[in-house]
Amino acid sequence: MPPEHKPQQTLNQQPDNGPAPAPALAPTPPLIRVTQPHLPPLDEFIPYLEQIWESKFLTNGGQFHQQLEAALCEYLGVAHISLFANGTLALMTALQALGIEGEVITTPYSFVATSHALLWNGLQPVFADIDPVTFNLDPARIEAAITPRTTAIMPVHCYGIPCDVRAIERIARRHGLKVIYDAAHAFGVRQDGASILRHGDLSVLSFHATKVFNTFEGGAIICHDAATKRHIDLLKNFGIQDEQTVVAAGINGKMNEVSAAFGLLQLRGIDAALAQRRQIAAHYRRLLAAVPGIDPMPDMGDDANNSYFAVLVRDTYPISRDALHQKLHDAGIHARRYFYPLITHFPMYSAIPSAAPANLPHANVIANQVICLPIYPALDAQDVERIVGLLAAS
Ligand SMILES: *Cc1c(COP(=O)(O)O)cnc(C)c1O
């Protein structure tokens, strides 16, 4: 029988003559991904589910949705929040809520949802370069990109590092522009003793599984007055005002009751999770101080949420960033090159004049140097030491 016709042996099909041989694999340490979702003990979630089954209220702004909005306003120190099914719908709705038209200045150094939300609103993204230290939009480059068609700025607090919010606010005032922060990385981030989410006309959070605070999938818009919140709440529910009245071409962006209930439970553990992240980041920083050519992202101390631990692989490091990425991968460490490639390298953006690499020198350099090391509450100190050991041995 030619070899390709041999019956395949799988784990479920043991050979007739005796037990399957033990797998001849050397024990390998478990795979470490860049992040791991934070989950509370399952049995603590059952009572919430029982309440949902009892009430048969699954969505449309039920009791858990209302409770989570109130609890998040309190936890984050913001006036109004509107929950969404995910952060991308929240970004799209934020642009609708402010009636943004024409051109919007944004960053190439982000997850692609930031600028996709612009395209889904028929808006023209205009890319400006980043500051190479904070990874956030450089205010001077924002101002230089303004045209008569500019109506808004959409910056990102990348890795939870605050944008230069004061400079952005001055530019927005001077030119009559709206500011919508993509704050998907910035849950719990503070500056000058208060939430970073108080800045801009609107801020948008993501509660995706990979984020610091997750509701499986979820998101939110933070706004500053009750009228704007009412408008956003209309837009996320088809524009329905009452049984007989539809006042806007809204969308379905609502968070369901299971996710909202889960958010309430997650919120109980968030301070402990953030404290664990802080310890891990501090451990990385201590050990990496002795590794030449590897520069960690700026340290914001207790104001940070340590949602990511980005390091830059400089030219002085013995091997390339991609070789290091592969080396880690081969050792079972799945670090990620966020944000490489830049948004401006994807085909739906690359032909836009402002997407040209010559317009975005810092973003291009950083995208080629960055690597995000694993960080999540359950990552233990020995794993951090093993990862830094691999970085030190190149
Ligand atoms: C995760 C993320 C989003 C999208 O959020 P989802 O909840 O996954 O839709 C948007 N912007 C940035 C910067 C993100 O990291």
Side-chain angles (χ1 to χ4, degrees):
M1 189 157 58
E4 62 267 30
H5 291 147
K6 261 201 203 136
Q8 288 279 314
Q9 187 184 313
T10 71
L11 285 177
N12 298 327
Q13 293 172 311
Q14 304 220 341
D16 298 335
N17 49 355
L25 292 171
T28 47
L31 193 142
I32 298 177
R33 295 179 198 282
V34 71
T35 190
Q36 191 183 86
H38 184 63
L39 292 170
L42 180 57
D43 58 348
E44 290 181 19
F45 192 45
I46 304 300
Y48 292 85
L49 292 175
E50 284 169 350
Q51 278 192 61
I52 292 171
W53 259 246
E54 177 77 21
S55 71
K56 301 200 169 27
F57 212 109
L58 308 189
T59 185
N60 287 8
Q63 61 154 331
F64 288 124
H65 186 285
Q66 293 169 34
Q67 283 176 34
L68 183 60
E69 287 193 344
L72 283 172
C73 280
E74 163 132 24
Y75 181 80
L76 296 169
V78 297
H80 299 280
I81 192 165
S82 183
L83 297 176
F84 277 79
N86 61 60
T88 305
L89 279 165
L91 279 174
M92 287 164 52
T93 306
L95 291 158
Q96 287 280 325
L98 299 182
I100 303 300
E101 293 174 352
E103 294 176 2
V104 177
I105 297 170
T106 191
T107 173
Y109 193 76
S110 180
F111 180 57
V112 73
T114 310
S115 39
H116 277 1
L118 299 174
L119 291 194
W120 273 71
N121 274 287
L123 299 166
Q124 203 177 330
V126 173
F127 297 99
D129 204 7
I130 59 169
D131 177 306
V133 174
T134 64
F135 315 115
N136 290 323
L137 275 176
D138 176 347
R141 302 302 308 271
I142 295 175
E143 195 147 33
I146 294 172
T147 76
R149 297 194 63 230
T150 310
T151 61
I153 309 167
M154 194 146 83
V156 177
H157 300 297
C158 191
Y159 311 135
I161 300 169
C163 290
D164 188 344
V165 288
R166 299 227 155 63
I168 290 171
E169 192 177 323
R170 276 196 298 276
I171 292 166
R173 282 234 186 92
R174 192 149 59 227
H175 298 273
L177 307 177
K178 300 286 189 195
V179 180
I180 298 171
Y181 282 105
D182 179 339
H185 299 178
F187 186 94
V189 170
R190 298 171 71 78
Q191 191 181 50
D192 303 328
S195 172
I196 195 68
L197 304 172
R198 71 192 188 282
H199 295 285
D201 294 280
L202 301 174
S203 288
V204 174
L205 292 168
S206 166
F207 306 147
H208 184 258
T210 54
K211 304 300 204 274
V212 160
F213 172 81
N214 88 74
T215 57
F216 281 42
E217 293 256 14
I221 301 178
I222 280 81
C223 67
H224 308 304
D225 63 89
T228 304
K229 156 121 171 108
R230 274 196 300 278
H231 184 43
I232 291 167
D233 285 347
L234 269 179
L235 287 177
K236 79 174 186 190
N237 188 31
F238 311 99
I240 295 174
Q241 191 163 60
D242 60 48
E243 265 181 47
Q244 306 181 61
T245 327
V246 174
V247 296
I251 198 164
N252 182 1
K254 303 181 302 288
M255 178 181 281
N256 69 66
E257 285 291 278
V258 175
S259 285
F262 190 72
L264 282 169
L265 179 57
Q266 288 283 63
L267 208 47
R268 290 206 230 145
I270 188 71
D271 283 331
L274 289 172
Q276 283 168 309
R277 284 178 177 274
R278 197 173 299 134
Q279 274 186 10
I280 294 161
H283 198 38
Y284 266 129
R285 286 182 190 283
R286 274 193 301 274
L287 298 174
L288 284 171
V291 184
I294 299 288
D295 290 345
M297 61 188 260
D299 186 357
M300 293 167 47
D302 287 351
D303 285 345
N305 65 2
N306 300 292
S307 47
Y308 299 83
F309 194 81
V311 302
L312 299 176
V313 183
R314 301 300 196 184
D315 292 341
T316 52
Y317 188 70
I319 61 174
S320 73
R321 187 274 310 269
D322 290 343
L324 175 60
H325 177 253
Q326 187 61 47
K327 176 181 169 175
L328 292 171
H329 198 276
D330 293 345
I333 313 293
H334 289 198
R336 295 292 299 270
R337 289 166 290 188
Y338 299 138
F339 288 100
Y340 164 88
L342 293 176
I343 290 175
T344 42
H345 286 203
F346 297 127
M348 63 298 290
Y349 300 103
S350 57
I352 296 172
S354 60
N359 184 49
L360 307 165
H362 291 312
N364 277 277
V365 168
I366 299 296
N368 287 324
Q369 293 185 343
V370 74
I371 190 156
C372 286
L373 300 180
I375 189 165
Y376 47 88
L379 186 69
D380 56 41
Q382 293 94 297
D383 290 329
V384 172
E385 284 150 26
R386 185 158 74 88
I387 292 163
V388 177
L390 287 161
L391 265 70
S394 290

